[in-house]
Amino acid sequence: MLLAIIAYSFFGNDRKPEEVSVAGAIARMDETTYATEIEAQRKEKESFFRDSEESPIEDKKTFVGLDYFLPNQDYRVLARLTPYNGPEKELKIPYTDGTEATYERYAYADFEIKDVPQRLLLLKNEGVISVLFRDATSGKATYGGGRYIDIPAEKVREDLLIIDFNEAYNPYCAYAPNYACPVPPAENTLTAALEAGEKFDAEKH
């Protein structure tokens, strides 16, 4: 009942049923269940890095695994989207090798991290919503070039989207400089420290 009251007060009484269901989906999960799900995803990725021919790790014999922040649902947020309606829908994103690719400015995502408002520009490319960002951990506990989250476009429900920063990951170029990776837009540099997702230790990798 409390969740319903919160959802009503935040989203108003004119929301469509599918929007309310998205709001309900952000309800805090059982901590053990949530941690188990996140750890399973991480183990699958680590196995890929260790065994796959498509892994960015060249010397797999010395690979000691990936580093992560502990799963924390404070960094799983419900963002309200404002569709981008500016004159320049396309955005040329530079890559680390000097090339560039064309992305679509999709929407601005407004959310809160520990009660502090945040905003990110979401980009779209080939049916995927790309969250490319830097934050106060970049170059310290996480990769200095920024981190990414990929979300299928069908996860957007009207103007709502769940963004889980526990799923933030480092680009391949963090582990192998011969890879070309997109550089996050300057406006996607957050002052908050997003202590969630994948860490990076240059000495280990």
Side-chain angles (χ1 to χ4, degrees):
M1 181 63 179
L2 178 59
L3 177 61
I5 294 173
I6 293 173
Y8 179 88
S9 64
F10 184 78
F11 296 108
N13 61 0
D14 58 347
R15 306 301 291 182
K16 298 179 181 179
E18 62 268 25
E19 294 174 310
V20 175
S21 67
V22 173
I26 198 64
R28 201 172 187 91
M29 298 170 59
D30 173 77
E31 295 292 352
T32 300
T33 301
Y34 180 74
T36 298
E37 292 181 0
I38 293 295
E39 292 297 342
Q41 295 174 17
R42 293 174 176 180
K43 286 182 180 180
E44 183 177 354
K45 179 174 181 177
E46 193 155 302
S47 295
F48 173 83
F49 268 46
R50 181 178 289 109
D51 301 324
S52 175
E53 293 182 358
E54 298 179 2
S55 166
I57 305 299
E58 296 181 358
D59 188 358
K60 296 181 178 62
K61 292 181 179 179
T62 62
F63 178 62
V64 295
L66 302 174
D67 296 324
Y68 294 94
F69 292 101
L70 293 175
N72 185 343
Q73 293 189 70
D74 288 343
Y75 295 99
R76 178 174 175 263
V77 302
L78 183 62
R80 170 163 277 176
L81 306 187
T82 302
Y84 181 83
N85 292 318
E88 297 181 1
K89 193 77 170 178
E90 293 186 347
L91 176 63
K92 298 291 186 182
I93 292 292
Y95 275 57
T96 52
D97 66 347
T99 61
E100 60 183 21
T102 301
Y103 284 71
E104 174 189 338
R105 289 182 173 95
Y106 181 74
Y108 283 101
D110 290 289
F111 55 94
E112 292 186 352
I113 294 291
K114 297 183 178 180
D115 298 323
V116 179
Q118 310 289 337
R119 167 171 274 208
L120 287 171
L121 173 64
L122 305 186
L123 305 174
K124 187 177 181 181
N125 184 272
E126 298 182 353
V128 175
I129 304 300
S130 296
V131 186
L132 313 179
F133 70 96
R134 293 188 181 92
D135 66 279
T137 70
S138 300
K140 300 173 184 175
T142 64
Y143 181 58
R147 293 182 290 164
Y148 310 157
I149 303 173
D150 301 323
I151 306 174
E154 58 266 25
K155 293 289 186 180
V156 176
R157 293 292 183 270
E158 297 296 329
D159 58 352
L160 300 174
L161 179 65
I162 294 173
I163 303 176
D164 192 343
F165 288 96
N166 292 281
E167 298 178 0
Y169 68 92
N170 298 323
Y172 275 12
C173 55
Y175 304 104
N178 56 309
Y179 281 88
C181 303
V183 178
E187 65 188 292
N188 279 4
T189 300
L190 301 178
T191 57
L194 301 185
E195 297 177 327
E198 195 170 332
K199 294 182 178 181
F200 183 72
D201 184 340
E203 294 184 0
K204 287 179 60 177
H205 303 290

Short mmCIF file of all heavy atoms in Angstrom, two decimals, residues 95-148:
data_model
loop_
_atom_site.label_atom_id
_atom_site.label_comp_id
_atom_site.label_asym_id
_atom_site.label_seq_id
_atom_site.Cartn_x
_atom_site.Cartn_y
_atom_site.Cartn_z
N TYR A 95 35.84 8.47 -31.03
CA TYR A 95 36.36 7.21 -30.48
C TYR A 95 37.82 7.41 -30.07
O TYR A 95 38.48 8.36 -30.49
CB TYR A 95 36.24 6.09 -31.51
CG TYR A 95 34.89 5.40 -31.51
CD1 TYR A 95 33.71 6.14 -31.71
CD2 TYR A 95 34.77 4.04 -31.31
CE1 TYR A 95 32.48 5.52 -31.70
CE2 TYR A 95 33.54 3.42 -31.29
CZ TYR A 95 32.39 4.15 -31.49
OH TYR A 95 31.16 3.54 -31.46
N THR A 96 38.29 6.50 -29.25
CA THR A 96 39.64 6.64 -28.69
C THR A 96 40.74 6.52 -29.75
O THR A 96 41.88 6.90 -29.48
CB THR A 96 39.87 5.59 -27.60
OG1 THR A 96 39.54 4.28 -28.11
CG2 THR A 96 39.00 5.88 -26.38
N ASP A 97 40.43 6.01 -30.93
CA ASP A 97 41.44 5.88 -31.98
C ASP A 97 41.39 7.04 -32.96
O ASP A 97 42.06 7.02 -33.99
CB ASP A 97 41.29 4.56 -32.72
CG ASP A 97 39.98 4.47 -33.50
OD1 ASP A 97 39.09 5.33 -33.29
OD2 ASP A 97 39.83 3.54 -34.32
N GLY A 98 40.57 8.07 -32.66
CA GLY A 98 40.48 9.23 -33.53
C GLY A 98 39.36 9.17 -34.54
O GLY A 98 39.09 10.17 -35.22
N THR A 99 38.69 8.03 -34.66
CA THR A 99 37.55 7.93 -35.55
C THR A 99 36.31 8.45 -34.82
O THR A 99 36.38 8.89 -33.67
CB THR A 99 37.33 6.48 -36.01
OG1 THR A 99 37.06 5.66 -34.85
CG2 THR A 99 38.57 5.95 -36.73
N GLU A 100 35.16 8.37 -35.46
CA GLU A 100 33.92 8.79 -34.81
C GLU A 100 32.75 7.98 -35.37
O GLU A 100 32.85 7.37 -36.44
CB GLU A 100 33.68 10.28 -34.98
CG GLU A 100 33.57 10.74 -36.41
CD GLU A 100 33.40 12.25 -36.51
OE1 GLU A 100 33.74 13.00 -35.58
OE2 GLU A 100 32.91 12.69 -37.58
N ALA A 101 31.67 7.98 -34.65
CA ALA A 101 30.45 7.30 -35.07
C ALA A 101 29.26 8.20 -34.80
O ALA A 101 29.31 9.06 -33.92
CB ALA A 101 30.29 5.96 -34.35
N THR A 102 28.19 8.00 -35.56
CA THR A 102 27.00 8.82 -35.42
C THR A 102 26.00 8.15 -34.49
O THR A 102 25.60 7.01 -34.72
CB THR A 102 26.35 9.07 -36.78
OG1 THR A 102 27.29 9.73 -37.64
CG2 THR A 102 25.11 9.95 -36.63
N TYR A 103 25.62 8.84 -33.45
CA TYR A 103 24.60 8.39 -32.52
C TYR A 103 23.40 9.34 -32.62
O TYR A 103 23.52 10.46 -33.11
CB TYR A 103 25.11 8.40 -31.08
CG TYR A 103 26.05 7.26 -30.73
CD1 TYR A 103 27.34 7.21 -31.24
CD2 TYR A 103 25.65 6.25 -29.86
CE1 TYR A 103 28.21 6.18 -30.92
CE2 TYR A 103 26.51 5.22 -29.51
CZ TYR A 103 27.79 5.19 -30.05
OH TYR A 103 28.65 4.18 -29.71
N GLU A 104 22.28 8.88 -32.12
CA GLU A 104 21.10 9.73 -32.03
C GLU A 104 20.95 10.27 -30.62
O GLU A 104 21.02 9.51 -29.65
CB GLU A 104 19.85 8.92 -32.40
CG GLU A 104 18.54 9.67 -32.21
CD GLU A 104 17.32 8.77 -32.36
OE1 GLU A 104 17.45 7.70 -33.00
OE2 GLU A 104 16.25 9.13 -31.84
N ARG A 105 20.80 11.59 -30.50
CA ARG A 105 20.43 12.14 -29.20
C ARG A 105 19.00 11.68 -28.90
O ARG A 105 18.04 12.12 -29.54
CB ARG A 105 20.50 13.67 -29.22
CG ARG A 105 21.92 14.25 -29.29
CD ARG A 105 21.84 15.76 -29.26
NE ARG A 105 23.12 16.42 -29.15
CZ ARG A 105 23.83 16.88 -30.19
NH1 ARG A 105 23.34 16.73 -31.42
NH2 ARG A 105 24.98 17.48 -30.01
N TYR A 106 18.86 10.80 -27.92
CA TYR A 106 17.57 10.17 -27.68
C TYR A 106 16.72 10.93 -26.66
O TYR A 106 15.59 11.30 -26.93
CB TYR A 106 17.78 8.73 -27.22
CG TYR A 106 16.50 7.97 -26.97
CD1 TYR A 106 15.72 7.54 -28.02
CD2 TYR A 106 16.09 7.69 -25.67
CE1 TYR A 106 14.54 6.85 -27.80
CE2 TYR A 106 14.92 7.00 -25.44
CZ TYR A 106 14.14 6.58 -26.50
OH TYR A 106 12.97 5.90 -26.27
N ALA A 107 17.28 11.16 -25.48
CA ALA A 107 16.51 11.82 -24.42
C ALA A 107 17.44 12.20 -23.29
O ALA A 107 18.54 11.65 -23.15
CB ALA A 107 15.40 10.90 -23.90
N TYR A 108 16.98 13.12 -22.46
CA TYR A 108 17.66 13.40 -21.19
C TYR A 108 16.99 12.57 -20.10
O TYR A 108 15.77 12.49 -20.03
CB TYR A 108 17.57 14.89 -20.86
CG TYR A 108 18.52 15.73 -21.67
CD1 TYR A 108 18.07 16.45 -22.78
CD2 TYR A 108 19.88 15.79 -21.34
CE1 TYR A 108 18.95 17.22 -23.53
CE2 TYR A 108 20.76 16.55 -22.10
CZ TYR A 108 20.29 17.25 -23.19
OH TYR A 108 21.16 17.99 -23.95
N ALA A 109 17.81 11.95 -19.27
CA ALA A 109 17.32 11.14 -18.16
C ALA A 109 17.56 11.90 -16.86
O ALA A 109 18.71 12.25 -16.54
CB ALA A 109 18.04 9.80 -18.12
N ASP A 110 16.49 12.17 -16.14
CA ASP A 110 16.58 12.84 -14.84
C ASP A 110 16.25 11.83 -13.74
O ASP A 110 15.23 11.14 -13.81
CB ASP A 110 15.62 14.02 -14.79
CG ASP A 110 16.05 15.16 -15.70
OD1 ASP A 110 17.06 15.82 -15.38
OD2 ASP A 110 15.41 15.36 -16.75
N PHE A 111 17.12 11.78 -12.74
CA PHE A 111 16.97 10.83 -11.65
C PHE A 111 17.69 11.37 -10.43
O PHE A 111 18.28 12.46 -10.47
CB PHE A 111 17.52 9.45 -12.05
CG PHE A 111 18.94 9.48 -12.52
CD1 PHE A 111 20.00 9.24 -11.65
CD2 PHE A 111 19.24 9.77 -13.85
CE1 PHE A 111 21.32 9.27 -12.09
CE2 PHE A 111 20.56 9.82 -14.30
CZ PHE A 111 21.60 9.57 -13.41
N GLU A 112 17.65 10.62 -9.36
CA GLU A 112 18.36 11.03 -8.15
C GLU A 112 19.29 9.92 -7.68
O GLU A 112 18.96 8.73 -7.78
CB GLU A 112 17.37 11.37 -7.02
CG GLU A 112 16.56 12.62 -7.28
CD GLU A 112 15.69 13.02 -6.10
OE1 GLU A 112 15.61 12.22 -5.13
OE2 GLU A 112 15.09 14.11 -6.13
N ILE A 113 20.44 10.32 -7.19
CA ILE A 113 21.37 9.41 -6.52
C ILE A 113 21.54 9.93 -5.10
O ILE A 113 22.03 11.04 -4.89
CB ILE A 113 22.75 9.36 -7.22
CG1 ILE A 113 22.62 8.73 -8.62
CG2 ILE A 113 23.75 8.59 -6.37
CD1 ILE A 113 22.30 7.25 -8.62
N LYS A 114 21.05 9.15 -4.15
CA LYS A 114 21.10 9.54 -2.74
C LYS A 114 20.51 10.94 -2.54
O LYS A 114 21.11 11.82 -1.91
CB LYS A 114 22.53 9.45 -2.21
CG LYS A 114 23.09 8.03 -2.24
CD LYS A 114 24.47 7.92 -1.64
CE LYS A 114 24.94 6.46 -1.66
NZ LYS A 114 26.30 6.32 -1.07
N ASP A 115 19.34 11.14 -3.14
CA ASP A 115 18.54 12.36 -3.00
C ASP A 115 19.13 13.57 -3.72
O ASP A 115 18.64 14.69 -3.54
CB ASP A 115 18.31 12.71 -1.52
CG ASP A 115 17.54 11.62 -0.79
OD1 ASP A 115 16.63 11.04 -1.40
OD2 ASP A 115 17.85 11.37 0.38
N VAL A 116 20.16 13.36 -4.53
CA VAL A 116 20.76 14.48 -5.28
C VAL A 116 20.37 14.34 -6.76
O VAL A 116 20.64 13.31 -7.37
CB VAL A 116 22.29 14.49 -5.14
CG1 VAL A 116 22.89 15.64 -5.95
CG2 VAL A 116 22.70 14.61 -3.68
N PRO A 117 19.73 15.36 -7.36
CA PRO A 117 19.32 15.27 -8.76
C PRO A 117 20.51 15.10 -9.70
O PRO A 117 21.56 15.72 -9.51
CB PRO A 117 18.61 16.61 -9.00
CG PRO A 117 18.20 17.07 -7.64
CD PRO A 117 19.29 16.60 -6.71
N GLN A 118 20.32 14.26 -10.72
CA GLN A 118 21.34 14.00 -11.73
C GLN A 118 20.67 14.03 -13.10
O GLN A 118 19.48 13.76 -13.23
CB GLN A 118 21.99 12.63 -11.52
CG GLN A 118 22.48 12.34 -10.12
CD GLN A 118 23.71 13.15 -9.72
OE1 GLN A 118 24.46 13.61 -10.60
NE2 GLN A 118 23.92 13.32 -8.43
N ARG A 119 21.46 14.32 -14.12
CA ARG A 119 20.94 14.30 -15.49
C ARG A 119 22.00 13.74 -16.44
O ARG A 119 23.18 14.10 -16.36
CB ARG A 119 20.51 15.69 -15.94
CG ARG A 119 20.25 15.81 -17.44
CD ARG A 119 19.63 17.11 -17.85
NE ARG A 119 18.16 17.04 -17.74
CZ ARG A 119 17.33 17.76 -18.48
NH1 ARG A 119 17.80 18.62 -19.37
NH2 ARG A 119 16.02 17.65 -18.33
N LEU A 120 21.56 12.87 -17.35
CA LEU A 120 22.43 12.30 -18.37
C LEU A 120 21.74 12.38 -19.73
O LEU A 120 20.51 12.23 -19.82
CB LEU A 120 22.76 10.83 -18.06
CG LEU A 120 23.72 10.54 -16.92
CD1 LEU A 120 23.76 9.04 -16.63
CD2 LEU A 120 25.12 11.05 -17.25
N LEU A 121 22.53 12.58 -20.76
CA LEU A 121 22.04 12.50 -22.13
C LEU A 121 22.12 11.05 -22.58
O LEU A 121 23.20 10.46 -22.60
CB LEU A 121 22.86 13.39 -23.06
CG LEU A 121 22.55 13.26 -24.56
CD1 LEU A 121 21.12 13.71 -24.85
CD2 LEU A 121 23.56 14.04 -25.39
N LEU A 122 20.98 10.47 -22.93
CA LEU A 122 20.95 9.10 -23.44
C LEU A 122 21.10 9.14 -24.96
O LEU A 122 20.48 9.96 -25.65
CB LEU A 122 19.64 8.42 -23.07
CG LEU A 122 19.27 8.38 -21.59
CD1 LEU A 122 18.01 7.53 -21.38
CD2 LEU A 122 20.41 7.83 -20.75
N LEU A 123 21.91 8.24 -25.48
CA LEU A 123 22.14 8.13 -26.91
C LEU A 123 21.55 6.82 -27.43
O LEU A 123 21.43 5.85 -26.68
CB LEU A 123 23.64 8.18 -27.21
CG LEU A 123 24.39 9.40 -26.67
CD1 LEU A 123 25.88 9.25 -26.90
CD2 LEU A 123 23.87 10.68 -27.29
N LYS A 124 21.20 6.82 -28.69
CA LYS A 124 20.63 5.61 -29.29
C LYS A 124 21.43 5.22 -30.52
O LYS A 124 21.79 6.08 -31.32
CB LYS A 124 19.16 5.83 -29.66
CG LYS A 124 18.44 4.57 -30.13
CD LYS A 124 16.96 4.86 -30.40
CE LYS A 124 16.21 3.63 -30.86
NZ LYS A 124 14.78 3.92 -31.15
N ASN A 125 21.70 3.93 -30.62
CA ASN A 125 22.45 3.42 -31.76
C ASN A 125 22.04 1.98 -31.99
O ASN A 125 22.19 1.13 -31.11
CB ASN A 125 23.97 3.53 -31.50
CG ASN A 125 24.79 3.11 -32.69
OD1 ASN A 125 25.11 1.94 -32.85
ND2 ASN A 125 25.15 4.06 -33.53
N GLU A 126 21.48 1.71 -33.16
CA GLU A 126 21.09 0.35 -33.56
C GLU A 126 20.17 -0.31 -32.52
O GLU A 126 20.38 -1.46 -32.12
CB GLU A 126 22.33 -0.51 -33.81
CG GLU A 126 23.20 0.01 -34.94
CD GLU A 126 24.39 -0.88 -35.22
OE1 GLU A 126 24.61 -1.83 -34.44
OE2 GLU A 126 25.09 -0.64 -36.22
N GLY A 127 19.16 0.42 -32.09
CA GLY A 127 18.17 -0.16 -31.20
C GLY A 127 18.59 -0.29 -29.74
O GLY A 127 17.87 -0.87 -28.94
N VAL A 128 19.75 0.28 -29.40
CA VAL A 128 20.25 0.20 -28.03
C VAL A 128 20.38 1.60 -27.45
O VAL A 128 20.89 2.51 -28.12
CB VAL A 128 21.62 -0.51 -27.98
CG1 VAL A 128 22.20 -0.48 -26.57
CG2 VAL A 128 21.48 -1.96 -28.45
N ILE A 129 19.91 1.77 -26.23
CA ILE A 129 20.10 3.03 -25.50
C ILE A 129 21.47 2.96 -24.84
O ILE A 129 21.73 2.05 -24.03
CB ILE A 129 19.01 3.24 -24.44
CG1 ILE A 129 17.62 3.20 -25.07
CG2 ILE A 129 19.24 4.56 -23.71
CD1 ILE A 129 17.38 4.23 -26.12
N SER A 130 22.35 3.88 -25.18
CA SER A 130 23.70 3.90 -24.63
C SER A 130 23.81 4.97 -23.55
O SER A 130 23.53 6.14 -23.80
CB SER A 130 24.73 4.19 -25.73
OG SER A 130 24.74 3.16 -26.70
N VAL A 131 24.22 4.54 -22.36
CA VAL A 131 24.50 5.45 -21.26
C VAL A 131 26.01 5.52 -21.14
O VAL A 131 26.65 4.60 -20.64
CB VAL A 131 23.87 4.96 -19.94
CG1 VAL A 131 24.05 6.00 -18.84
CG2 VAL A 131 22.40 4.63 -20.13
N LEU A 132 26.59 6.59 -21.66
CA LEU A 132 28.05 6.79 -21.63
C LEU A 132 28.33 7.90 -20.64
O LEU A 132 27.85 9.02 -20.81
CB LEU A 132 28.58 7.19 -23.02
CG LEU A 132 28.10 6.38 -24.23
CD1 LEU A 132 28.72 6.94 -25.50
CD2 LEU A 132 28.46 4.91 -24.07
N PHE A 133 29.09 7.61 -19.59
CA PHE A 133 29.23 8.63 -18.55
C PHE A 133 30.58 8.53 -17.83
O PHE A 133 31.26 7.50 -17.84
CB PHE A 133 28.11 8.47 -17.52
CG PHE A 133 28.22 7.23 -16.66
CD1 PHE A 133 28.81 7.28 -15.40
CD2 PHE A 133 27.76 6.01 -17.12
CE1 PHE A 133 28.92 6.14 -14.62
CE2 PHE A 133 27.86 4.86 -16.34
CZ PHE A 133 28.44 4.93 -15.09
N ARG A 134 30.94 9.65 -17.22
CA ARG A 134 32.01 9.71 -16.24
C ARG A 134 31.40 10.20 -14.93
O ARG A 134 30.35 10.84 -14.92
CB ARG A 134 33.13 10.67 -16.66
CG ARG A 134 33.93 10.23 -17.88
CD ARG A 134 35.13 11.16 -18.08
NE ARG A 134 35.93 10.82 -19.24
CZ ARG A 134 35.77 11.33 -20.45
NH1 ARG A 134 34.80 12.23 -20.64
NH2 ARG A 134 36.55 10.99 -21.45
N ASP A 135 32.08 9.94 -13.83
CA ASP A 135 31.60 10.42 -12.54
C ASP A 135 32.80 10.65 -11.64
O ASP A 135 33.95 10.57 -12.09
CB ASP A 135 30.61 9.41 -11.92
CG ASP A 135 31.28 8.10 -11.58
OD1 ASP A 135 31.47 7.25 -12.47
OD2 ASP A 135 31.62 7.91 -10.40
N ALA A 136 32.57 10.94 -10.38
CA ALA A 136 33.65 11.30 -9.47
C ALA A 136 34.59 10.14 -9.17
O ALA A 136 35.68 10.36 -8.61
CB ALA A 136 33.08 11.85 -8.16
N THR A 137 34.23 8.91 -9.55
CA THR A 137 35.14 7.77 -9.36
C THR A 137 36.07 7.57 -10.55
O THR A 137 37.03 6.82 -10.47
CB THR A 137 34.36 6.46 -9.13
OG1 THR A 137 33.71 6.07 -10.36
CG2 THR A 137 33.32 6.61 -8.03
N SER A 138 35.79 8.24 -11.68
CA SER A 138 36.56 8.03 -12.91
C SER A 138 38.02 8.44 -12.72
O SER A 138 38.31 9.54 -12.23
CB SER A 138 35.94 8.82 -14.07
OG SER A 138 34.61 8.42 -14.30
N GLY A 139 38.92 7.55 -13.12
CA GLY A 139 40.34 7.81 -12.95
C GLY A 139 40.84 7.50 -11.56
O GLY A 139 42.03 7.65 -11.28
N LYS A 140 39.95 7.08 -10.71
CA LYS A 140 40.31 6.71 -9.33
C LYS A 140 39.97 5.23 -9.13
O LYS A 140 40.77 4.36 -9.39
CB LYS A 140 39.60 7.61 -8.33
CG LYS A 140 39.96 9.08 -8.51
CD LYS A 140 39.11 9.99 -7.62
CE LYS A 140 39.42 11.46 -7.89
NZ LYS A 140 38.53 12.37 -7.12
N ALA A 141 38.74 4.97 -8.70
CA ALA A 141 38.33 3.58 -8.51
C ALA A 141 37.84 2.94 -9.81
O ALA A 141 37.78 1.71 -9.91
CB ALA A 141 37.23 3.49 -7.45
N THR A 142 37.50 3.78 -10.79
CA THR A 142 36.99 3.25 -12.06
C THR A 142 37.81 3.79 -13.23
O THR A 142 38.66 4.68 -13.07
CB THR A 142 35.51 3.60 -12.26
OG1 THR A 142 35.36 5.03 -12.36
CG2 THR A 142 34.67 3.10 -11.09
N TYR A 143 37.56 3.26 -14.41
CA TYR A 143 38.32 3.63 -15.60
C TYR A 143 38.17 5.12 -15.91
O TYR A 143 37.06 5.66 -15.94
CB TYR A 143 37.85 2.78 -16.78
CG TYR A 143 38.57 3.06 -18.06
CD1 TYR A 143 39.96 2.93 -18.16
CD2 TYR A 143 37.87 3.44 -19.21
CE1 TYR A 143 40.62 3.18 -19.35
CE2 TYR A 143 38.53 3.69 -20.41
CZ TYR A 143 39.91 3.57 -20.46
OH TYR A 143 40.57 3.82 -21.64
N GLY A 144 39.28 5.77 -16.16
CA GLY A 144 39.28 7.21 -16.37
C GLY A 144 38.53 7.66 -17.61
O GLY A 144 38.04 8.79 -17.68
N GLY A 145 38.46 6.79 -18.61
CA GLY A 145 37.77 7.14 -19.84
C GLY A 145 36.27 7.07 -19.75
O GLY A 145 35.58 7.46 -20.69
N GLY A 146 35.76 6.60 -18.61
CA GLY A 146 34.32 6.51 -18.43
C GLY A 146 33.81 5.09 -18.50
O GLY A 146 34.55 4.15 -18.84
N ARG A 147 32.54 4.92 -18.18
CA ARG A 147 31.91 3.60 -18.21
C ARG A 147 30.61 3.67 -19.00
O ARG A 147 30.11 4.76 -19.31
CB ARG A 147 31.63 3.12 -16.78
CG ARG A 147 32.90 2.83 -16.00
CD ARG A 147 32.59 2.32 -14.59
NE ARG A 147 32.03 3.37 -13.75
CZ ARG A 147 31.40 3.14 -12.60
NH1 ARG A 147 31.22 1.90 -12.18
NH2 ARG A 147 30.93 4.15 -11.87
N TYR A 148 30.08 2.50 -19.31
CA TYR A 148 28.90 2.40 -20.15
C TYR A 148 27.84 1.52 -19.50
O TYR A 148 28.13 0.65 -18.68
CB TYR A 148 29.24 1.75 -21.51
CG TYR A 148 30.41 2.31 -22.26
CD1 TYR A 148 31.06 1.52 -23.21
CD2 TYR A 148 30.89 3.60 -22.07
CE1 TYR A 148 32.14 1.99 -23.94
CE2 TYR A 148 31.96 4.09 -22.79
CZ TYR A 148 32.59 3.27 -23.72
OH TYR A 148 33.67 3.75 -24.44
#
